[in-house]
Amino acid sequence: MPIVKTVSRAVSQLLQSSGCGCGISLVPVRCIGVSPRQVASDASFHSVSFSESDHPRVLITGGLGQLGVGLAKLLRKRFGKNNVILSDIRKPADNVFYSGPFIYADILDYKNLREIVVNNRITWLFHYSALLSAVGEANVPLARAVNITGLHNVLDIAAEHNLRLFVPSTIGAFGPTSPRDPTPDLCIQRPRTIYGVSKVHAELMGEYYHYRYGLDFRCLRYPGIISADSQPGGGTTDYAVQIFHDAIKTGKFQCNLKPDTRLPMMYIDDCLKATLEVMEAPAEALSMRTYNISAMSFTPEELAQEVQKHVPELLVTYSVDEVRQAIADSWPMNFDDRNARRDWGWKHDYDLPELVTTMFSFLGSDSRIAQAN
């Protein structure tokens, strides 16, 4: 096991000898309806009680990104609000802060992260902290620190405390020498972005820790994820989110990819469902630790045509970003996800028409949409 196990024993002994091993969290968790002073003085907040004792205790890192808030909502509905802690290094919006426990967690601060896991009896960890593709290319040192060094901290802590660990991968884990149509689970992976390299690294390190230390590591390769709940965050596939916002606000959309650039995509509800399903799947059902998942594949032109059924006057132009286009041209056009469908019953719900209709049902209160419909 990692050296941190030895450190863990020493720290545990020190806490017990100093009278601090009382099970009360010293981490400032926000629980709705309970003041910080009450939390600090009430040991039952962190003790096993009622039916929640049967559920996992969940920590989500990087929780204010595109997927974390939605995942927290899904998991809280399933496991109980107080069993799911959302974390990030940024200040959350009020609606996020008051929806359930939120905590400051910096994945580059090993000691802080380890304290959170111990003090809150975490059993499942969803590691979403990462810099996305285009943002990572603009700041490689920061991407290397967050995506790789942060991962190492999470792996060591997860192995030390026997956590079930989920780390998302991505279409960006493939490169121009990978088969693109379709891309299987196992093939050549030679990405040309720091984001992609870090994701291949995460896949391999997670599998290594599984076989070397018995870590219950689980990973899905996400396609481009489309959500109405968050703004685009610097990813190459973010055009597929931006088009809806621009269609409603201005009726004009300028795409930074070529019109015939085909990429695999997925609506966020399918993505979150797949994430929960693979985490709940029996270990013996998993023939591998990293799976492709897919729902649909489309081009900017095909998406624009579907959007124009709701906003006929939408004007679409193309101004190609060479960096993003080069990234997209190295990525899969279609995912082969037969292993996920066979092993743990993965099945998507949203195809392109349902995706577009659903996005406008969340975003489309504008009079332009109402008139079009």
Side-chain angles (χ1 to χ4, degrees):
M1 292 297 291
I3 295 174
V4 293
K5 267 197 171 295
T6 304
V7 178
S8 173
R9 296 190 187 99
V11 172
S12 298
Q13 293 169 359
L14 177 61
L15 288 175
Q16 292 168 2
S17 64
S18 61
C20 296
C22 56
I24 301 176
S25 174
L26 302 180
V27 182
V29 177
R30 173 68 175 179
C31 181
I32 307 311
V34 182
S35 70
R37 182 170 296 180
Q38 287 174 309
V39 170
S41 62
D42 185 1
S44 67
F45 177 76
H46 288 291
S47 65
V48 179
S49 61
F50 49 93
S51 62
E52 290 192 356
S53 63
D54 298 327
H55 294 313
R57 293 277 298 172
V58 179
L59 174 67
I60 304 171
T61 67
L64 297 183
Q66 183 185 25
L67 298 174
V69 174
L71 180 64
K73 182 178 180 180
L74 176 66
L75 296 178
R76 284 167 178 165
K77 184 177 180 180
R78 189 168 186 84
F79 301 133
K81 181 172 64 176
N82 290 335
N83 279 324
V84 180
I85 300 175
L86 198 63
S87 74
D88 211 305
I89 60 172
R90 295 180 291 142
K91 183 170 69 173
D94 285 350
N95 65 307
V96 175
F97 185 71
Y98 291 108
S99 64
F102 181 88
I103 199 169
Y104 173 91
D106 181 356
I107 61 166
L108 297 180
D109 185 340
Y110 178 87
K111 182 177 182 292
N112 170 249
L113 188 61
R114 191 162 168 267
E115 285 177 348
I116 292 170
V117 168
V118 171
N119 289 343
N120 295 285
R121 299 180 298 107
I122 299 302
T123 57
W124 285 15
L125 198 160
F126 293 82
H127 179 53
Y128 278 110
S129 298
L131 262 65
L132 300 183
S133 54
V135 174
E137 290 306 289
N139 194 338
V140 172
L142 180 60
R144 187 174 62 232
V146 173
N147 295 10
I148 296 178
T149 303
L151 169 77
H152 291 180
N153 288 342
V154 167
L155 285 170
D156 282 345
I157 291 168
E160 177 188 3
H161 296 287
N162 298 315
L163 308 185
R164 181 170 296 184
L165 173 64
F166 178 84
V167 179
S169 190
T170 168
I171 55 175
F174 299 97
T177 55
S178 303
R180 300 185 63 212
D181 191 16
T183 303
D185 283 306
L186 300 176
C187 65
I188 295 172
Q189 292 177 258
R190 290 294 184 273
R192 293 182 177 176
T193 66
I194 185 61
Y195 176 62
V197 168
S198 69
K199 287 303 182 183
V200 175
H201 180 78
E203 293 177 13
L204 295 177
M205 286 296 291
E207 291 186 16
Y208 173 75
Y209 269 61
H210 171 68
Y211 292 113
R212 179 67 176 85
Y213 303 121
L215 173 65
D216 191 354
F217 171 82
R218 304 181 184 209
C219 177
L220 296 178
R221 294 193 188 105
Y222 290 157
I225 304 302
I226 300 173
S227 167
D229 294 328
S230 60
Q231 294 293 325
T236 300
T237 58
D238 278 355
Y239 84 86
V241 176
Q242 189 68 54
I243 188 173
F244 293 98
H245 293 277
D246 290 356
I248 292 172
K249 292 178 181 178
T250 67
K252 298 179 181 179
F253 172 64
Q254 185 176 84
C255 183
N256 51 31
L257 296 180
K258 295 177 181 178
D260 61 349
T261 305
R262 183 172 300 279
L263 293 168
M265 299 285 187
M266 178 177 286
Y267 184 58
I268 189 170
D269 284 9
D270 275 340
C271 175
L272 298 179
K273 182 182 78 166
T275 302
L276 177 57
E277 286 179 355
V278 77
M279 282 293 275
E280 290 189 318
E284 59 270 17
L286 304 179
S287 64
M288 55 187 64
R289 288 286 150 173
T290 298
Y291 289 89
N292 292 342
I293 53 168
S294 186
M296 67 193 92
S297 291
F298 55 74
T299 67
E301 185 174 39
E302 290 169 349
L303 176 59
Q305 290 172 355
E306 194 67 34
V307 170
Q308 285 168 335
K309 294 178 181 179
H310 297 258
V311 187
E313 68 274 26
L314 174 64
L315 176 64
V316 179
T317 58
Y318 296 88
S319 178
V320 177
D321 180 319
E322 296 301 330
V323 173
R324 281 180 167 84
Q325 187 64 50
I327 292 172
D329 288 342
S330 71
W331 283 358
M333 299 169 66
N334 286 286
F335 259 163
D336 180 350
D337 63 353
R338 285 177 291 180
N339 289 320
R341 294 177 186 268
R342 179 199 66 210
D343 287 0
W344 44 276
W346 161 239
K347 182 180 181 182
H348 71 280
D349 293 326
Y350 292 83
D351 289 310
L352 181 56
E354 293 83 8
L355 162 70
V356 173
T357 299
T358 303
M359 286 291 287
F360 277 127
S361 74
F362 283 102
L363 299 174
S365 59
D366 186 88
S367 61
R368 182 185 296 109
I369 306 297
Q371 292 170 4
N373 288 338

